[in-house]
């Protein structure tokens, strides 16, 4: 086993790669495939309509893998928020020992999970938020650069800076998230001080990802310029695939005279985005994708992908080592 990082040791995985907890994507089929391949698969709690549905999905995943897997609990602003405590209790009841948290005011959920000796990975887009999470007792920080899909934060700091700031400022171990698709990226993240990487968009484009083939093929055909930043006006900036409806939403956002979120709400409906993944019309609704789409050129199995990443990372690290140890010719 070539990798021995704080992440692999704490989670019991062989490749320091975590699958992002993606809405409408993080089902048992994908999570089990990632875990079986040596990474950490993640079920997305809020993809399940109720805590009891999450319980069924956890049990389904257990039937598909004997390896460790996690559950993502993302706390989002809502008029009627889900019962996050009930989702957390199901995680505890089912003996899941790793949880990825994200979003607003995660303190009560993290406290509940920590009392059950759960290992917490918490996603942050700024060093300030990371320091707040450290005070809550999280075990790993997932440092999310501006390149990422979904909620990018409002500071626009890319991973090259953000990871180095994390290395300078944080004593809690961290993983790198946003912009990763290959072993060279893993090697770079390790060199910058991370203990592993989190990949979302790259895992969407695998055989086992439970989304329509049209979406996967759209990712393969796209380049790094084909994403759109929407909802910046309301300080809820989200990186989406730059399809027709995302561009329409952006136009409404810029031209709206009222500035009311209701003007854009029909365009950014999560239900319509869910339909894209089911029916394959990539322009029917908005869906998240990171700038990393420019690095994705095939649709492998999770096992093939992680084997490739492991090989590439080892080769990249060996190359770096050889550059350091190479004999420098003396001057004549």
């Amino acid at each position: 086993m070539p990798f021995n990082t704080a992440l692999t040791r704490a989670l019991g995985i062989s490749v320091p790669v975590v699958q992002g907890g993606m809405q409408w994507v993080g089902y048992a089929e994908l999570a089990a495939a990632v875990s079986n391949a040596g990474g950490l698969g993640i079920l997305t709690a809020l993809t399940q309509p109720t805590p009891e549905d999450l319980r069924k999905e956890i049990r389904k995943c257990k039937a598909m893998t004997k390896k460790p897997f996690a559950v993502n609990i993302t706390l989002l602003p809502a008029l009627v928020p889900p019962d996050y405590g009930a989702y957390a209790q199901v995680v505890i009841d089912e003996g899941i020992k790793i949880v990825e948290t994200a979003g607003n005011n995660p303190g009560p959920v993290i406290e509940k999970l920590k009392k059950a000796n759960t290992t917490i990975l918490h996603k942050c887009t700024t060093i300030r938020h990371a320091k707040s999470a450290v005070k809550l007792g999280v075990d790993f920080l997932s440092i999310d650069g501006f390149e990422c899909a979904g909620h990018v934060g409002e500071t626009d700091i890319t991973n090259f800076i953000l990871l180095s700031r994390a290395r300078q400022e944080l004593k809690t171990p961290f993983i790198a998230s946003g912009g990763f698709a290959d072993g060279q990226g893993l090697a770079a993240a390790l060199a910058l001080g991370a203990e592993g990487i989190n990949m979302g968009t790259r895992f969407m484009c695998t055989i086992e990802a439970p989304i329509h083939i049209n979406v996967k093929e759209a990712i393969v055909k796209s380049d790094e310029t084909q994403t759109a930043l929407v909802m910046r006006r309301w300080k809820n900036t989200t990186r989406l695939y730059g399809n027709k409806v995302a561009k329409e939403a952006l136009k409404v956002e810029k031209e709206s005279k009222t500035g009311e979120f209701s003007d854009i709400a029909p365009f950014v409906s999560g239900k319509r985005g869910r339909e894209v993944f089911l029916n394959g019309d990539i322009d029917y609704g908005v869906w998240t994708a990171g700038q990393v789409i420019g690095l994705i050129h095939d649709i492998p199995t999770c096992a093939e992908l992680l084997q490739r990443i492991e090989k590439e990372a080892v080769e990249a690290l060996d190359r770096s080592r050889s550059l350091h140890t190479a004999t420098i010719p003396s001057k004549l």
Side-chain angles (χ1 to χ4, degrees):
M1 187 172 74
F3 290 105
N4 180 17
T5 74
L7 188 75
T8 60
R9 292 192 298 271
L11 305 188
I13 61 179
S14 59
V15 185
V17 174
V18 174
Q19 168 229 317
M22 298 167 281
Q23 184 73 343
W24 313 126
V25 183
Y27 292 96
E29 292 86 349
L30 180 59
V34 174
S35 290
N36 284 333
L40 181 75
I42 296 186
L43 299 176
T44 307
L46 297 188
T47 291
Q48 302 300 325
T50 70
E52 283 307 307
D53 287 304
L54 175 60
R55 190 188 306 277
K56 291 174 188 172
E57 196 70 11
I58 288 172
R59 291 180 178 179
K60 181 178 178 182
C61 198
K62 284 178 180 176
M64 299 172 78
T65 183
K66 301 305 175 192
K67 302 284 186 70
F69 64 91
V71 172
N72 166 284
I73 301 178
T74 298
L75 294 90
L76 297 172
L79 291 174
V80 183
D83 188 344
Y84 295 114
Y87 279 98
Q89 189 60 51
V90 165
V91 168
I92 294 165
D93 292 345
E94 292 300 315
I96 301 302
K97 288 300 180 183
I98 310 166
V99 170
E100 179 186 65
T101 55
N104 302 324
N105 302 316
V109 165
I110 289 174
E111 182 181 6
K112 184 182 185 78
L113 292 165
K114 289 303 295 179
K115 284 180 180 175
N117 297 316
T118 308
T119 298
I120 305 290
L121 288 64
H122 185 72
K123 299 196 82 163
C124 310
T125 58
T126 68
I127 300 303
R128 180 172 63 85
H129 290 142
K131 288 180 174 178
S132 297
V134 168
K135 291 176 183 174
L136 296 174
V138 304
D139 301 278
F140 289 88
L141 296 155
S142 187
I143 303 296
D144 223 5
F146 181 57
E147 307 95 322
C148 72
H151 296 282
V152 299
E154 305 303 319
T155 54
D156 300 4
I157 302 171
T158 59
N159 256 328
F160 229 88
I161 303 301
L162 199 58
L163 294 174
S164 288
R165 290 288 292 123
R167 184 184 70 249
Q168 292 173 349
E169 292 280 334
L170 305 173
K171 291 186 170 59
T172 300
F174 61 92
I175 62 177
S177 178
F180 295 97
D182 52 33
Q184 289 83 0
L186 172 57
L190 295 173
L192 288 170
E195 302 291 340
I197 59 174
N198 178 302
M199 302 194 311
T201 306
R202 173 67 269 199
F203 278 122
M204 286 173 65
C205 207
T206 57
I207 295 292
E208 294 92 348
I211 59 178
H212 200 283
I213 186 63
N214 290 359
V215 177
K216 301 175 189 183
E217 289 178 347
I219 292 171
V220 169
K221 292 172 186 172
S222 299
D223 66 33
E224 61 277 9
T225 67
Q226 289 175 260
T227 67
L229 292 171
V230 180
M231 295 189 284
R232 173 137 287 185
R233 188 169 182 174
W234 297 280
K235 297 195 184 310
N236 188 26
T237 308
T238 302
R239 188 180 297 281
L240 304 170
Y241 182 76
N243 63 5
K244 289 177 184 176
V245 70
K247 289 171 183 173
E248 288 171 9
L250 204 52
K251 186 171 185 288
V252 170
E253 178 175 348
K254 288 177 179 176
E255 296 177 357
S256 168
K257 290 184 172 64
T258 66
E260 294 292 332
F261 181 74
S262 57
D263 293 344
I264 197 179
F267 295 93
V268 294
S269 160
K271 289 180 181 178
R272 286 179 64 176
R274 172 67 174 138
E275 286 297 314
V276 171
F277 291 164
L278 290 174
N279 298 328
D281 178 354
I282 66 166
D283 287 312
Y284 182 76
V286 296
W287 48 283
T288 61
Q291 290 180 320
V292 77
I293 56 177
L295 304 180
I296 298 170
H297 308 300
D298 65 351
I299 308 170
T301 65
C302 290
E304 289 166 345
L305 178 60
L306 285 184
Q307 285 166 10
R308 183 198 307 167
I309 286 174
E310 185 174 36
K311 182 173 182 287
E312 289 171 345
V314 169
E315 288 173 353
L317 293 167
D318 285 346
R319 179 176 180 274
S320 299
R321 199 172 295 115
S322 70
L323 292 173
H324 172 66
T325 58
T327 303
I328 301 172
S330 59
K331 290 182 180 178
L332 295 174

